[in-house]
């Protein structure tokens, strides 16, 4: 199993996308629908989610499923919507993530628990349910597997973030979860992949760095200049560029991306 190189996904594919009303989730949803993949969209932002589903073409290609991912029942309801609406599930993309800005000595326990509930527990529960559904499907002759789980990670998993400790811990643990899923599900022809975004300005980056600048007394414009100087491209990442990398992970046949961390900004792989 495992020819190399991306292929156009068949129109019968179905994906669940969490955090679909955010800038990254929306870009991924749009790229999937353009490639012929039907989508189930999950997010806590009800109005934005329903508007996106309508813009994508309505129930024939996109179903809105408002959920609070900190609630296990909502996670299960979201994943179950895929076979209910479209008869199958080929890809789960865990995009949803929240962060915080707190001194490490002052993080409220409620904040810690909420960040881990959304960033780590929800992907675990969604992956468990998705894998069970995928395992019951035949290997797709086009994708050469039963399904794939893509987790949107963070470069923050690779270095300490003193103001966002719970976030960093959740992303380190998400890497471990993803690689463990990759090892456990490989023989079932279900892949698990992590994609690291670059700096998406209107995503989490802008809010976090404004908060950090206030906390530390830094000039926000200087933070922008410093961070851009450290990027390979010298610019922020467009959500559409990240979406193309996620589509690549989903569209590449077989188990080529199984167990990998794909750095989308530099197009490098760990």
């Amino acid at each position: 199993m495992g020819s190399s190189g991306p292929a156009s996904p068949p129109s019968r594919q179905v994906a669940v996308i969490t955090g679909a009303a955010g800038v990254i989730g929306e870009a991924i949803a749009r790229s999937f629908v353009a490639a012929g993949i039907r989508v189930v969209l999950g997010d806590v932002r009800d109005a934005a989610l329903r508007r996106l589903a309508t813009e994508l073409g309505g129930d024939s290609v996109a179903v809105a499923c408002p959920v609070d991912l900190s609630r296990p029942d909502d996670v299960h309801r979201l994943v179950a919507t895929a076979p209910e609406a479209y008869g199958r599930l080929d890809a789960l993309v865990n995009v949803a993530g929240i962060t915080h800005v707190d001194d490490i000595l002052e993080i409220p326990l409620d904040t810690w628990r909420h960040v881990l509930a959304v960033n780590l527990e929800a992907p675990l529960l969604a992956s468990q349910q998705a894998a069970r559904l995928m395992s019951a499907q035949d290997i797709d002759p086009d994708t050469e597997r039963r399904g794939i789980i893509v987790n949107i990670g963070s470069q923050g998993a690779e270095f300490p973030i003193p103001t966002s400790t719970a976030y960093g811990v959740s992303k380190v643990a998400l890497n471990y979860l993803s690689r463990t899923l990759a090892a456990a599900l490989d023989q079932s022809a279900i892949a698990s992949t992590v994609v690291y975004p670059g700096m998406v300005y209107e995503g989490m980056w802008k809010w976090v760095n404004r908060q950090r600048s206030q906390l530390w007394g830094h000039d926000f414009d200087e933070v922008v200049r410093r961070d851009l100087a450290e990027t390979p491209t010298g610019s922020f990442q467009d959500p559409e560029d990240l979406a193309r990398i996620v589509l690549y992970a989903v569209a590449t046949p077989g188990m080529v991306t199984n167990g990998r961390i794909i750095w989308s900004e530099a197009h490098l792989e760990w």
Side-chain angles (χ1 to χ4, degrees), residues 87-167:
R88 60 185 294 111
L89 174 60
D90 299 278
L92 166 67
V93 186
N94 288 308
V95 181
I98 59 174
T99 191
H100 65 106
V101 175
D102 296 283
D103 185 285
I104 191 171
L105 303 182
E106 304 294 337
I107 304 170
L109 189 55
D110 285 348
T111 297
W112 177 275
R113 289 171 173 164
H114 187 56
V115 170
L116 264 65
V118 174
N119 294 8
L120 183 60
E121 291 175 15
L124 167 65
L125 295 172
S127 297
Q128 288 175 326
Q129 187 173 359
R132 292 188 188 103
L133 292 171
M134 292 170 181
S135 295
Q137 299 174 166
D138 292 335
I139 292 177
D140 187 288
D142 295 300
T143 65
E144 302 175 18
R145 60 174 178 257
R146 290 188 171 89
I148 186 169
I149 298 165
V150 179
N151 290 308
I152 302 301
S154 172
Q155 296 178 36
E158 306 299 334
F159 53 85
I161 310 176
T163 58
S164 304
T165 308
Y167 176 80

Side-chain angles (χ1 to χ4, degrees), residues 52-69:
L52 175 61
T54 299
E55 290 176 3
L56 291 174
D59 288 350
S60 63
V61 294
V63 174
C65 185
V67 289
D68 178 348
L69 293 176

